[in-house]
Amino acid sequence: MHGHARALLHNGMNLVSLFTRADNIVGIDIGEEYLRLAVLHKEKDGTERISLLASEKVSPQTVVGGVVRNTESLARHLRNLAKNVATGRSRTRITYAIVSVPADTAYSRVYGFPSSIKGSRLEETMDLTVGFQLPVKIEDVYLDWEKVPHGGKNEVFLAAMKKPVVDGYIGALRAAGINPVAIELYPQSVARAIAPGDAPRVVVSDSPSGITASVIVDGIARFTRV
């Protein structure tokens, strides 16, 4: 996500050089029951397609309610996933990943502002907004925000998650030899896959510990409840 990253996950890496190197940056969805992986391949004409899909079943009690309960178990499953992809017919070495995680413990909201608030003023306004309206202490969470790219309104989408929850995923990924480039909420990952301008969608996903429902409009998960 773009904006006040609060160093959500850049790990000191130069993202420009990272995205221009030969290593694949894969997408990994971490859920309570399965890990899912996708690799995007860019064609000569600039279009992108999914060139590889893989999955790995997760042991019970590894991830519960969006929280990593067994780091060693999750790391083992991530290593299995990476090994299967690296030794399959379409071999892909997993070094970097953009990771989608459950929204169970996250806070997200869309803020609207007058059209005159933009650029540096928007940065300043979001600083104040986060300081006064975030329902948790800012020092206790990783957060990020981005300008809503569609819809014609001056809106900002913000997501925040408690540091121990995010650190649990980071620990398992690093133990598996995978460097997380970015982490975002599963409903927002789904929203990015829906073409802008499409009719509003309700996306429902279930897991052993609950059901997550999101309303997606103009490429943003505007309402999420677990």
Side-chain angles (χ1 to χ4, degrees):
M1 295 172 67
H2 167 74
H4 268 215
R6 290 298 192 285
L8 177 60
L9 270 187
H10 61 69
N11 304 324
M13 294 185 294
N14 183 326
L15 293 184
V16 174
S17 62
L18 175 62
F19 279 95
T20 56
R21 61 189 296 161
D23 297 297
N24 287 303
I25 301 176
V26 305
I28 297 178
D29 170 29
I30 298 178
E32 291 190 18
E33 296 181 290
Y34 288 93
L35 303 178
R36 295 182 175 89
L37 176 147
V39 179
L40 283 179
H41 174 76
K42 182 168 287 188
E43 303 285 3
K44 292 181 179 179
D45 61 0
T47 59
E48 294 180 333
R49 66 177 179 84
I50 295 176
S51 61
L52 181 64
L53 291 170
S55 66
E56 164 84 6
K57 188 170 177 58
V58 176
S59 301
Q61 301 302 307
T62 297
V63 179
V64 180
V67 178
V68 179
R69 300 296 187 189
N70 190 328
T71 302
E72 183 178 344
S73 175
L74 181 56
R76 183 178 70 253
H77 288 303
L78 286 164
R79 282 193 292 269
N80 289 341
L81 184 67
K83 181 179 179 180
N84 291 338
V85 171
T87 58
R89 292 179 60 185
S90 302
R91 296 183 181 182
T92 297
R93 180 168 175 258
I94 300 179
T95 305
Y96 301 101
I98 295 172
V99 184
S100 176
V101 300
D104 299 48
T105 64
Y107 169 82
S108 63
R109 181 174 172 181
V110 177
Y111 293 94
F113 301 104
S115 58
S116 59
I117 298 179
K118 53 188 177 181
S120 61
R121 286 192 63 195
L122 185 59
E123 296 265 352
E124 294 168 0
T125 301
M126 281 304 298
D127 273 343
L128 292 172
T129 299
V130 169
F132 284 109
Q133 297 192 24
L134 201 66
V136 292
K137 293 181 180 179
I138 192 170
E139 60 267 23
D140 293 340
V141 299
Y142 293 114
L143 65 83
D144 198 1
W145 60 266
E146 66 178 348
K147 183 81 164 56
V148 176
H150 312 293
K153 298 178 181 179
N154 190 21
E155 294 181 318
V156 169
F157 174 80
L158 178 142
M161 187 176 284
K162 291 185 176 179
K163 289 181 178 179
V165 177
V166 177
D167 291 343
Y169 290 105
I170 295 174
L173 287 159
R174 288 179 174 166
I178 301 171
N179 298 298
V181 176
I183 290 179
E184 74 173 358
L185 308 181
Y186 175 75
Q188 191 57 26
S189 298
V190 173
R192 296 186 192 283
I194 297 176
D198 280 1
R201 307 287 183 90
V202 176
V203 177
V204 179
S205 59
D206 62 347
S207 67
S209 62
I211 296 175
T212 301
S214 299
V215 177
I216 297 175
V217 184
D218 292 326
I220 291 291
R222 293 176 175 271
F223 174 89
T224 298
R225 287 293 182 272
V226 179

